[in-house]
Amino acid sequence: MSPHSFVKPSSRRAMLRDSATLAGSALLATLFPASLRASFPWNAPWNAPGNASPQGAPADPVAAFRAQMAANPIQPQKLADNLTMLSGPGGNVVVLNGADGKVVVDTFVSPAWPKLKESLDAISNAPLKTVINTHWHFDHVDNNGPLHAAGASILAHENTKKRMSEAHDLPVLNLHFPPAPADALPQQTFATTHKLQANGETLALQHVAPAHTDTDIFVHFQKANVIQTGDLFFNGIFPYIDGATGGKVSGMIAAADKILPLANDSTKIVPGHGPLGSKADVVKFRDMLVTTRDRVQKLKSAGKSAQEAAAAKPLADLEEAWGKGFFNGDVFVQILYTTL
């Protein structure tokens, strides 16, 4: 998930037209964890472009968001003899270790770099070989630069390089995100599929049709029976779907349909956010997406606006199970509305 991606210049008018509430406190609730949101007067006039922040509000809310995520400790979990999941400052990172050098999938937020480096060094003294980005959002690519400087080559889908090369704006908060620096951009890209052989493992990389974004891939560690999904799978929480950079709820469902046949009951499935999952967890996630899509589509087809759809509380019965993550059911209704 990324606050970079709610609005981009080419879709700004449509996004604001279709979901005005996302430009207010509901949008802000999706951008920041509750512990950080508590310090922000979300409905104050400074939210209007050009207005100054009140006393006590962070001068740079995105930097504050990065710092909040980076404060989480990195927790290692062994997935196989040479495969480790690191969880904490911006989702989940997977490290394949061995004599061929380390392969690192996703990279956490930038302030977490010292802790990430320490965790990588603790795994082994093998050199860094390859970094794979599952998609373009900052919490998955922020440390591309230092990892590349440390010796890794960066690999991603071609759309990830394109998105990272662009400036992105969030005008409702008067925020601007410049293009990523050249040393953080992928040096190698692919269009549909790509395979790597390293440390006795085969990594099969698969691009999917626009889902969470238009840049998404998943990584199948075939020998270890591990699948890393990036943000195609949020385990146990409503996902973010980035309509501003191509995301579609139908694509999220289709991505789950691509992943599930590769898994069995022993497969370990690493979500973009949330705890390590299983095939059964992905089935639950897919079923939730189908249910929520159908309910919101019915309201939209009946002529309801995004705000009216949210006010109808179509996801009330799912709130307890899925609404304890980045945002609640009311906000997820509006995200769905813009990505149908």
Side-chain angles (χ1 to χ4, degrees):
M1 189 192 80
S2 169
H4 295 203
S5 49
F6 276 90
V7 181
K8 73 168 187 171
S10 63
S11 60
R12 197 178 297 165
R13 183 177 301 170
M15 178 68 80
L16 294 177
R17 181 193 67 231
D18 289 343
S19 187
T21 303
L22 286 178
S25 59
L27 168 63
L28 298 166
T30 73
L31 300 186
F32 303 98
S35 56
L36 183 60
R37 293 201 307 268
S39 67
F40 280 69
W42 295 128
N43 295 312
W46 73 272
N47 288 332
N51 286 3
S53 301
Q55 185 176 3
D60 185 345
V62 175
F65 185 35
R66 281 186 164 105
Q68 177 73 20
M69 296 180 81
N72 293 314
I74 294 178
Q75 300 176 324
Q77 182 175 351
K78 275 282 190 183
L79 303 179
D81 287 343
N82 61 351
L83 205 61
T84 302
M85 182 174 79
L86 304 175
S87 300
N92 297 309
V93 167
V94 171
V95 183
L96 174 66
N97 179 59
D100 295 332
K102 297 188 188 84
V103 179
V104 181
V105 186
D106 289 340
T107 74
F108 291 143
V109 293
S110 53
W113 168 241
K115 291 191 293 188
L116 176 57
K117 183 179 185 303
E118 181 180 344
S119 296
L120 292 172
D121 290 345
I123 290 173
S124 80
N125 61 2
L128 288 163
K129 180 183 174 103
T130 305
V131 167
I132 299 169
N133 298 144
T134 60
H135 62 290
W136 80 276
H137 284 160
F138 78 95
D139 47 332
H140 298 259
V141 305
D142 249 5
N143 286 305
N144 279 9
L147 285 161
H148 179 53
S153 175
I154 303 167
L155 169 65
H157 187 261
E158 59 192 14
N159 286 351
T160 293
K161 183 172 184 177
K162 174 179 179 292
R163 293 297 186 188
M164 291 179 67
S165 301
E166 299 170 343
H168 293 266
D169 291 307
L170 188 59
V172 70
L173 291 180
N174 199 26
L175 297 178
H176 174 74
F177 303 92
D183 64 350
L185 297 176
Q187 288 87 47
Q188 183 179 2
T189 63
F190 65 96
T192 305
T193 61
H194 187 84
K195 277 199 175 183
L196 288 179
Q197 302 285 339
N199 302 316
E201 179 63 83
T202 299
L203 291 74
L205 283 58
Q206 175 70 57
H207 177 57
V208 299
H212 173 66
T213 67
D214 61 8
T215 71
D216 303 300
I217 67 168
F218 64 85
V219 181
H220 186 193
F221 298 87
Q222 294 180 335
K223 181 178 178 182
N225 195 19
V226 170
I227 301 172
Q228 186 171 1
T229 67
D231 284 359
L232 296 171
F233 170 43
F234 284 55
N235 193 8
I237 57 177
F238 289 130
Y240 176 52
I241 307 171
D242 184 359
T245 55
K248 298 287 185 185
V249 63
S250 59
M252 291 287 283
I253 295 165
D257 288 338
K258 276 186 172 289
I259 291 166
L260 285 169
L262 301 175
N264 56 38
D265 291 343
S266 299
T267 305
K268 296 172 182 176
I269 302 183
V270 179
H273 299 273
L276 183 66
S278 65
K279 182 174 184 177
D281 292 320
V282 178
V283 170
K284 290 176 187 176
F285 179 72
R286 182 200 177 279
D287 290 349
M288 178 274 294
L289 289 175
V290 171
T291 297
T292 57
R293 176 201 62 187
D294 291 351
R295 291 179 184 180
V296 175
Q297 181 65 70
K298 183 176 180 180
L299 291 166
K300 188 173 184 178
S301 298
K304 302 292 185 184
S305 68
Q307 301 96 306
E308 290 169 337
K313 302 287 185 183
L315 309 186
D317 59 319
L318 302 176
E319 188 75 42
E320 179 67 23
W322 296 93
K324 296 177 180 178
F326 287 107
F327 35 74
N328 62 25
D330 291 348
V331 176
F332 189 51
V333 167
Q334 296 168 78
I335 292 171
L336 286 168
Y337 192 97
T338 64
T339 59
L340 287 167

